[in-house]
């Protein structure tokens, strides 16, 4: 939605005004916003910006090998740190190569400032070389967009862009800078106070709404919390833990909510939804009160909508964005505001529910159908690999995933204990996301172990970014679960298309160890279960980046699974069905 934007700037002028170019204003503004690193790829219409970097030693830029790698790296940086990620690309194809990454960030509410070059203003609208209307192209997938026509506006625009991206419901903001504007010389005046008329960040929580929720909790006997990515983005994990322990309400998490509530807590039910665990899905289907906290009730969580939570007498929704309330599932109770603030108030009054019998019922579900798989003494099962990685890292690593079967195995079998420890593309499901996102996460968290979990399909979409891991010695541990097939597509064709397999064979993929070595990265490979632990430990003991390929069975599927058009309690468990 278009917003009327105004700011006040410092109008003081002296005889010693500093005259600098728009490009220098941009770099200075980014540094003033606390930007630690920018990921980008140069081209003709951003060359003034890149030329200005030569004279700015404090400005850190990492040259990726593809614009999509740049924006996914910025995204991984943002998700793992809670700060705004920044990337730069040139006009035309450089800008359009960012579109998938912008959409990824938009659907998952990730704060990014995306800077694109454009052709000079004098030739705009003439179909000039490498001209594309990136503002119009990305308008549905950005929180706000700026076309800069005067370099004097840049200090204000940069300041506003960071505020918009990282306040309220977070999201990507685009700044498009024509080439002549980036070379325009101005008397520099830093931005001052922000006043964005028509734009509101987080609304203040309404105590009456929260009190109504607490009353509903007191009346409930079978309550369940659905904790989503909003808990993580609001830095509200501790408040959620306090609320859960005070009320004794069990917690199911969405994919993006993993880590927002510790998986080893006695009240953790695990992930719910399309590939959710039995206990979590059955809890939702039998609850009398559903409390969604920072989850948007997307279709992978609810599955068949008219069969979702049929026993619930009330559904409550806590969210920062009023537009999400009753969008997919009608909310009987709504608490609008920053989740951290809502829970902080709720914790001043929260009391234990009479849910002892309910918790016993859930324990029965867990005993009846625990999460399990059929292991092998010889073949490397992917579930085993994820359990091994979880145990050796003690759940303390930052894990990034690509999209596919390995993503779901990671969600199910890695024990996430801390917020911002899972970096994955949820809403858009972007293949190629996982590895460059790990690079951004490692740059933002240089003292943390970062493990990138990939399939053999997604790994090939951004494998070229191994070059920057080697050059900058970014010590990501790159795991490739190689089943020589597009696994999730195969699984759906097997179960829903009567085994009519079409265009899923990846047997012609490269030797990943040799590919890593070609980029200057150590490569390791395990083909038997006996090799797996040894190879993984060698990777952990090796400084710098390492690629580890685990050859897994082609026929292995992800279970549990709820088929499209069915309800959460109609699960295919795999080992029984």
């Amino acid at each position: 939605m278009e917003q009327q934007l105004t700011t006040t700037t410092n109008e003081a002028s002296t005889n010693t005004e500093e005259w600098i170019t728009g490009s220098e204003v941009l770099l200075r503004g980014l540094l003033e916003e606390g930007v630690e690193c920018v990921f980008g790829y140069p081209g003709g219409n951003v060359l003034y910006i890149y030329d200005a970097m030569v004279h700015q030693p404090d400005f850190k830029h990492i040259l990726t090998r593809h614009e999509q790698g740049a924006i996914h790296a910025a995204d991984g940086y943002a998700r793992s740190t809670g700060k705004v990620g920044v990337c730069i690309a040139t006009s035309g194809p450089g800008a359009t190569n960012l579109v998938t990454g912008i959409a990824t960030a938009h659907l998952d509410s990730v704060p990014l400032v995306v800077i694109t070059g454009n052709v000079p203003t004098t030739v705009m609208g003439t179909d000039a070389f490498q001209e594309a209307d990136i503002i119009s192209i990305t308008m549905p997938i950005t929180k706000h967009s700026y076309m800069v026509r005067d370099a004097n506006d840049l200090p204000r625009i940069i300041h506003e862009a960071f505020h918009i991206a990282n306040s309220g419901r977070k999201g990507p903001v685009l700044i498009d800078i024509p080439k002549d504007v980036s070379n325009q010389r101005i008397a520099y005046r830093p931005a001052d106070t922000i006043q964005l008329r028509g734009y509101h960040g987080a609304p203040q929580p309404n105590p009456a709404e929260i009190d109504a929720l607490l009353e509903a909790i007191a009346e409930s006997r079978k309550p369940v919390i659905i904790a989503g990515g909003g808990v993580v983005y609001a830095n509200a994990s501790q408040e959620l833990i306090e609320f859960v322990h005070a009320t004794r309400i069990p917690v199911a998490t969405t994919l993006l909510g993993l880590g927002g509530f510790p998986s080893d807590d006695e009240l953790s039910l695990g992930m719910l939804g399309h590939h959710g665990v039995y206990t979590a899905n059955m809890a939702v289907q039998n609850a009398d009160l559903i409390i969604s906290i920072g989850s948007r009730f997307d279709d992978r969580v609810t599955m068949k909508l008219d069969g979702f939570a049929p026993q619930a007498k009330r559904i409550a929704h806590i969210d920062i964005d009023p537009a999400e309330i009753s969008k997919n599932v009608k909310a009987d109770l709504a608490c609008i505001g920053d989740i951290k603030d809502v829970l902080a108030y709720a914790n001043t009054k929260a009391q234990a529910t009479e849910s002892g019998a309910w918790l016993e019922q859930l324990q029965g579900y867990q005993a009846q159908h625990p999460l399990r798989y059929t292991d092998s003494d010889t073949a490397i099962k992917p579930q085993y690999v994820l359990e091994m990685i979880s145990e050796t890292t003690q759940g303390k690593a930052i894990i990034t995933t690509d999209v596919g079967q390995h993503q779901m195995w990671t969600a199910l079998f890695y024990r996430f204990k801390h917020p911002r420890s899972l970096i994955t593309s949820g809403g858009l499901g972007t293949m190629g996301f996982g590895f460059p996102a790990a690079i951004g996460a490692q740059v933002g968290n240089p003292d943390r172990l970062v493990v990138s979990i990939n399939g053999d399909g997604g790994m090939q979409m951004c494998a070229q970014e191994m070059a920057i891991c080697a050059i900058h010695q970014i010590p990501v541990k790159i795991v490739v679960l190689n089943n020589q097939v597009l696994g999730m597509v195969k699984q759906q064709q097997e179960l829903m298309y009567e085994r009519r397999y079409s265009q899923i064979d990846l047997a012609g993929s490269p030797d990943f160890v040799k590919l890593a070595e070609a980029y200057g990265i150590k490569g390791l490979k395990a083909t038997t279960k006996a090799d797996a632990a040894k190879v993984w430990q060698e990777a952990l003991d090796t400084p710098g980046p390492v690629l580890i390929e685990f050859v897994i069975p082609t026929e292995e599927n992800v279970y549990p699974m709820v088929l499209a058009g069915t309800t959460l309690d109609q699960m295919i468990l795999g080992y029984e069905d």
Side-chain angles (χ1 to χ4, degrees):
M1 181 175 66
E2 288 296 320
Q3 299 155 347
Q4 292 180 304
L5 308 177
T6 63
T7 65
T8 59
T9 35
N10 182 3
E11 298 296 339
S13 179
T14 69
N15 294 328
T16 58
E17 286 180 332
E18 184 181 12
W19 287 77
I20 57 177
T21 67
S23 295
E24 292 169 316
V25 172
L26 173 65
L27 301 189
R28 185 174 298 187
L30 295 178
L31 289 172
E32 288 175 353
E33 294 295 335
V35 174
E36 298 171 322
C37 182
V38 171
F39 304 89
Y41 202 97
N45 286 317
V46 289
L47 285 186
Y48 285 124
I49 297 172
Y50 277 83
D51 185 57
M53 293 181 193
V54 175
H55 308 291
Q56 181 53 269
D58 295 331
F59 191 83
K60 183 178 180 181
H61 177 281
I62 289 181
L63 172 64
T64 59
R65 295 303 184 262
H66 193 288
E67 290 90 354
Q68 190 165 333
I71 193 164
H72 291 332
D75 187 313
Y77 173 92
R79 294 188 201 225
S80 64
T81 64
K83 302 174 184 177
V84 178
V86 183
C87 63
I88 299 177
T90 194
S91 65
T96 57
N97 277 343
L98 299 175
V99 171
T100 297
I102 295 172
T104 300
H106 171 71
L107 276 176
D108 288 350
S109 303
V110 179
L112 298 182
V113 169
V114 180
I115 299 162
T116 56
N118 211 326
V119 299
T121 55
T122 53
V123 295
M124 273 188 177
T126 67
D127 294 331
F129 178 66
Q130 292 193 333
E131 181 181 7
D133 184 357
I134 196 63
I135 297 285
S136 297
I137 290 169
T138 61
M139 191 168 290
I141 53 173
T142 52
K143 191 174 178 183
H144 193 73
S145 299
Y146 293 93
M147 164 62 72
V148 187
R149 294 187 177 274
D150 186 340
N152 286 289
D153 294 329
L154 264 172
R156 169 183 63 82
I157 287 173
I158 295 166
H159 200 29
E160 288 177 358
F162 277 80
H163 175 72
I164 293 171
N166 209 29
S167 62
R169 181 174 182 172
K170 305 176 193 302
V173 175
L174 178 74
I175 303 176
D176 196 37
I177 307 175
K179 187 173 184 178
D180 54 334
V181 174
S182 68
N183 195 41
Q184 178 188 351
R185 297 185 68 81
I186 65 168
Y188 179 70
R189 294 185 179 91
D192 197 354
T193 306
I194 293 179
Q195 294 179 349
L196 301 174
R197 190 170 62 191
Y199 173 76
H200 304 286
Q204 289 297 313
N206 184 338
E209 294 177 346
I210 306 172
D211 290 342
L213 172 60
L214 293 173
E215 289 178 11
I217 291 173
E219 296 170 1
S220 170
R221 295 298 177 265
K222 295 183 176 182
V224 169
I225 290 170
I226 298 176
V231 173
V232 177
Y233 299 153
N235 297 316
S237 294
Q238 286 303 314
E239 286 78 7
L240 176 61
I241 292 170
E242 182 180 343
F243 181 73
V244 169
H245 289 171
T247 59
R248 303 295 295 168
I249 300 176
V251 180
T253 57
T254 68
L255 174 64
L256 294 183
L258 290 171
F261 187 77
S263 61
D264 57 353
D265 191 285
E266 63 173 346
L267 292 170
S268 174
L269 302 175
M271 185 176 73
L272 83 156
H274 181 44
H275 285 290
V277 299
Y278 184 87
T279 305
N281 282 358
M282 292 300 292
V284 169
Q285 292 301 88
N286 289 279
D288 64 6
L289 173 64
I290 301 290
I291 307 168
S292 171
I293 306 180
S295 167
R296 55 189 177 85
F297 287 115
D298 77 287
D299 58 297
R300 290 300 177 100
V301 164
T302 64
M303 299 308 292
K304 186 180 179 182
L305 261 179
D306 60 7
F308 175 74
Q311 303 301 318
K313 298 175 183 177
R314 291 183 179 180
I315 293 180
H317 196 167
I318 303 174
D319 206 285
I320 198 170
D321 186 358
E324 289 297 338
I325 306 299
S326 296
K327 185 180 80 173
N328 295 326
V329 173
K330 183 181 182 302
D332 303 294
L333 298 164
C335 299
I336 300 171
D338 187 284
I339 292 169
K340 193 178 186 74
D341 295 337
V342 172
L343 291 179
Y345 175 86
N347 285 335
T348 64
K349 299 183 175 183
Q351 295 181 353
T353 59
E354 296 181 20
S355 58
W358 173 232
L359 294 178
E360 288 183 10
Q361 182 178 343
L362 297 181
Q363 289 169 1
Y365 289 147
Q366 174 63 23
Q368 183 181 5
H369 293 294
L371 181 63
R372 57 186 174 180
Y373 64 97
T374 303
D375 203 359
S376 169
D377 293 331
T378 54
I380 304 175
K381 289 299 186 81
Q383 302 93 330
Y384 167 78
V385 174
L386 270 304
E387 287 178 333
M388 177 182 66
I389 293 174
S390 182
E391 290 170 7
T392 54
T393 63
Q394 299 181 325
K396 296 179 180 179
I398 295 174
I399 305 294
T400 75
T401 81
D402 212 79
V403 171
Q405 287 180 314
H406 67 277
Q407 180 188 31
M408 294 299 105
W409 284 318
T410 301
L412 293 169
F413 291 94
Y414 190 95
R415 305 291 287 173
F416 293 96
K417 300 177 183 179
H418 306 285
R420 301 191 185 276
S421 57
L422 173 62
I423 312 298
T424 193
S425 173
L428 198 64
T430 304
M431 288 183 69
F433 170 85
F435 174 44
I439 293 172
Q442 189 73 83
V443 170
N445 301 268
D447 299 325
R448 297 276 303 276
L449 172 64
V450 177
V451 182
S452 174
I453 312 290
N454 306 271
D456 48 322
M459 185 64 205
Q460 294 182 71
M461 292 191 172
C462 282
Q464 70 279 351
E465 305 306 336
M466 280 193 282
I468 62 176
C469 279
I471 291 168
H472 299 283
Q473 280 299 289
I474 299 171
V476 174
K477 308 308 178 188
I478 310 160
V479 172
V480 180
L481 297 178
N482 187 357
N483 59 3
Q484 299 190 14
V485 71
L486 288 173
M488 193 61 84
V489 179
K490 178 198 75 71
Q491 180 166 340
Q492 293 183 42
Q493 289 177 347
E494 176 181 329
L495 297 176
M496 292 178 276
Y497 295 86
E498 299 178 344
R499 298 179 183 268
R500 293 190 298 274
Y501 299 122
S502 177
Q503 305 302 317
I504 57 171
D505 187 359
L506 294 178
S509 298
D511 182 321
F512 288 101
V513 171
K514 290 183 178 179
L515 183 62
E517 292 172 345
Y519 279 109
I521 291 176
K522 183 173 184 176
L524 301 169
K525 185 174 184 176
T527 58
T528 67
K529 188 175 182 180
D531 294 334
K534 178 182 177 183
V535 164
W536 174 243
Q537 190 58 51
E538 183 178 350
L540 292 176
D541 293 339
T542 302
V546 183
L547 182 143
I548 314 97
E549 178 185 0
F550 296 96
V551 178
I552 64 172
T554 300
E555 64 274 9
E556 194 72 18
N557 284 337
V558 180
Y559 295 111
M561 182 181 184
V562 180
L563 297 180
T566 63
T567 56
L568 287 177
D569 51 358
Q570 295 176 294
M571 285 166 277
I572 301 174
L573 299 177
Y575 51 83
E576 292 181 351
D577 299 292

